[in-house]
Amino acid sequence: MNDPMLPLPGLSPASGKPIVVKFDGGLLSSDGGVLALREVEQRLRLADRLAACIVDPRDPDQVTHSLVDIIRFRLLMISAGYEDGNDANCLRSDPMFKMALDLSPSDRELCSQSTISRLENLPNVRALLRMGRSMVDLYCQSFQKVPKRITLDIDDTFDAVHGGQQLRLFNAHYDEYGFQPIVVFDGEGRFITAVLRPAKRPGGKEIKAFLRRLLRAIRANWPNTEILLRADSHYCSPEVLDWCRANGLDYILGVAPTAALRRHIEVLEASTKARFEAAPRDGKIRRFKEFFDGAKSWSRVERIIARVEAGAEGPDTRFIVTNLNKRNARLLYEDVYCRRGQAENHIKSFKTHLAADRTSCTKATANQLRLFLHAGAYWLMWGLRVSMPKRSIWRVAQFDTLRLRLIKIAARVVEMKTMIRVHLPTSCPAQDILRFALGRIPRLVT
């Protein structure tokens, strides 16, 4: 049993004096920057959007914690690094989280872990579909004006599980049971949607159905915006190619190498290798070739671009397929397709920095809700980051860096009759940037 009045043992003296440390500070918090996240959440109205998709079966006269408050508390917890719902049992008394939910430090406690668990198991499939549509609407409303063109980066990521969860599947490549959710970001790092699914490579029919729902939601907001679909070879299937053409989408997709494709570049590979061997000190040599070809399963031939590279590690050849009209093959590969790699960093932020792989619920619907909650936390951190000065390191900082420098700030709270004073450390190195961000957050587009 933890007794806050007992001092911590094992501390060495400082300057010849004993050190006595107790957890008896009272209204203190280690998350002073949560108030900045609160301002971002109020601008984006994330909790209100998600709560509006769920039917609350509780008696209104008996409700202490509304769905909006529960979701808002959970979003702030995840953003602050508390991905485990059990932490709510302690954080429910934290004065900063209370103020973030529009309560004073002396008001009632926030919801507990058991209340959060009941929320996670509440939504049905229809509610989750409404949430997915709400996330797309949030994405579309995050622009100051309707964009002429957007890029959709679609990818999937492995999520290992260690229980009897619904939809779990054994994946031989990873040698583990898990999920393989599909996630979509735009070219600027905005989160669009995520769908929980078994741990297997998505097929063409599944991808087509997913893209159809996504396009319908985007077109409801932007009927005339041009859309470029960008993905790796997993998504280069005949169903996807035909569907993109039929619906007016541009695409640039990776293509798995085949013997038929390699026959087009045998001469180029040999000459590129010979050039490198003649002058290896000049570094790698990269050359490009484009041609028209198609797999037997494709309905027509497509424009293929081959990137041939020779270096000390040996030859390396990649293929992409596109319907873009730009003629320069090098620019299409290096400036358009290769930027897809940035989506890996967005997945890292979502999965590693915000622990989106904490899908340990038994029900698949509960784990899908968790994906949306972590997606909401992604939006909070993204909103905080875009409030930073342009051309500064803060504008490209990882989410865990923002959390460490701007959210994990010690705070002492003093509640008075007419105001609440929050005392932050005078030595805080990020006070100037935090002041700047708070001045910019009210101008976030919603």
Side-chain angles (χ1 to χ4, degrees):
M1 180 177 179
N2 293 326
D3 187 346
M5 302 307 295
L6 293 177
L8 291 180
L11 297 176
S12 304
S15 189
K17 300 178 181 179
I19 299 176
V20 180
V21 179
K22 301 180 180 180
F23 287 102
D24 59 353
L27 290 180
L28 300 177
S29 175
S30 58
D31 300 286
V34 164
L35 292 182
L37 292 177
R38 176 205 186 200
E39 300 302 321
V40 176
E41 198 281 327
Q42 287 184 342
R43 292 295 297 168
L44 300 178
R45 298 184 298 108
L46 278 161
D48 295 281
R49 292 174 187 271
L50 296 178
C53 301
I54 307 174
V55 177
D56 193 346
R58 300 176 296 175
D59 183 353
D61 296 331
Q62 303 297 321
V63 170
T64 302
H65 309 288
S66 67
L67 291 181
V68 175
D69 286 343
I70 300 172
I71 293 175
R72 182 175 291 123
F73 184 30
R74 193 70 184 105
L75 292 176
L76 294 172
M77 283 180 58
I78 296 170
S79 302
Y82 302 103
E83 66 274 5
D84 194 332
N86 291 328
D87 292 327
N89 292 333
C90 295
L91 295 175
R92 61 187 306 202
S93 302
D94 189 287
M96 302 305 296
F97 280 95
K98 283 188 177 183
M99 288 188 287
L101 269 69
D102 202 25
L103 297 174
S104 65
S106 60
D107 283 341
R108 61 169 174 82
E109 292 187 333
L110 304 179
C111 65
S112 63
Q113 176 272 333
S114 57
T115 303
I116 292 175
S117 295
R118 286 191 290 271
L119 167 71
E120 291 174 343
N121 289 277
L122 181 59
N124 55 21
V125 174
R126 290 184 178 274
L128 293 171
L129 288 173
R130 290 193 293 269
M131 285 188 183
R133 180 62 177 268
S134 178
M135 296 299 293
V136 176
D137 291 341
L138 170 62
Y139 163 71
C140 293
Q141 294 168 14
S142 68
F143 287 77
Q144 291 183 348
K145 60 181 180 180
V146 177
K148 181 180 179 181
R149 185 179 182 85
I150 61 172
T151 299
L152 303 183
D153 285 316
I154 178 173
D155 205 350
D156 50 78
T157 180
F158 183 73
D159 173 9
V161 300
H162 308 283
Q165 291 94 330
Q166 293 177 351
L167 293 185
R168 75 170 188 146
L169 189 68
F170 183 79
N171 187 296
H173 177 75
Y174 295 98
D175 196 27
E176 284 187 284
Y177 283 91
F179 304 123
Q180 198 157 326
I182 293 176
V183 291
V184 184
F185 299 87
D186 80 345
E188 298 180 3
R190 291 176 172 87
F191 191 98
I192 301 178
T193 192
V195 175
L196 189 76
R197 52 181 303 281
K200 61 180 180 178
R201 177 176 174 174
K205 292 182 179 179
E206 180 184 359
I207 299 168
K208 176 182 173 181
F210 170 77
L211 290 174
R212 183 189 299 115
R213 293 191 299 269
L214 178 59
L215 181 65
R216 186 183 301 125
I218 294 176
R219 289 295 188 213
N221 291 275
W222 301 330
N224 300 317
T225 296
E226 298 175 1
I227 299 176
L228 170 64
L229 181 67
R230 186 166 57 188
D232 62 16
S233 59
H234 286 186
Y235 296 85
C236 184
S237 65
E239 294 89 351
V240 173
L241 295 175
D242 292 341
W243 182 85
C244 287
R245 285 191 176 277
N247 290 272
L249 268 69
D250 292 330
Y251 54 85
I252 184 164
L253 308 170
V255 183
T258 63
L261 294 179
R262 287 196 173 277
R263 281 196 292 268
H264 288 275
I265 47 89
E266 288 177 347
V267 175
L268 183 63
E269 279 185 326
S271 63
T272 303
K273 181 180 179 182
R275 282 190 183 185
F276 172 77
E277 292 175 347
R281 293 185 179 181
D282 294 339
K284 292 182 179 179
I285 296 178
R286 175 178 286 190
R287 301 170 71 188
F288 294 85
K289 180 179 180 179
E290 65 173 272
F291 52 89
F292 284 87
D293 202 344
K296 290 183 179 180
S297 59
W298 293 5
S299 61
R300 51 170 289 173
V301 295
E302 299 281 352
R303 182 188 180 192
I304 308 293
I305 295 175
R307 188 271 284 157
V308 178
E309 188 175 86
E313 297 81 11
D316 179 44
T317 301
R318 304 293 175 90
F319 299 93
I320 61 173
V321 58
T322 184
N323 65 343
L324 293 173
N325 294 324
K326 186 181 293 185
R327 300 309 306 169
N328 191 310
R330 178 183 292 271
L331 290 179
L332 277 174
Y333 183 85
E334 295 181 344
D335 293 352
V336 181
Y337 179 74
C338 285
R339 291 187 180 181
R340 187 193 67 82
Q342 189 63 25
E344 298 292 339
N345 291 328
H346 305 327
I347 292 176
K348 176 183 176 183
S349 298
F350 180 56
K351 186 176 174 182
T352 304
H353 302 157
L354 295 173
D357 56 354
R358 294 296 294 266
T359 47
S360 55
C361 296
T362 301
K363 295 171 59 178
T365 52
N367 286 321
Q368 177 64 65
L369 175 59
R370 284 195 174 187
L371 282 183
F372 286 144
L373 291 174
H374 288 264
Y378 181 99
W379 271 104
L380 292 185
M381 298 301 292
W382 180 87
L384 182 62
R385 185 166 63 187
V386 297
S387 300
M388 299 297 157
K390 294 182 180 179
R391 301 182 184 86
S392 71
I393 60 172
W394 296 97
R395 199 62 176 263
V396 294
Q398 295 187 152
F399 286 170
D400 58 346
T401 300
L402 293 178
R403 177 188 298 132
L404 179 64
R405 301 293 297 275
L406 301 178
I407 298 175
K408 294 298 182 181
I409 302 176
R412 178 166 60 90
V413 182
V414 179
E415 183 177 1
M416 303 178 181
K417 186 175 182 180
T418 58
M419 71 174 67
I420 300 173
R421 288 186 177 273
V422 178
H423 301 270
L424 303 179
T426 305
S427 59
C428 177
Q431 51 188 290
D432 291 338
I433 196 66
L434 185 61
R435 183 177 287 108
F436 181 92
L438 286 172
R440 287 281 302 274
I441 289 174
R443 297 198 291 272
L444 269 179
V445 178
T446 59

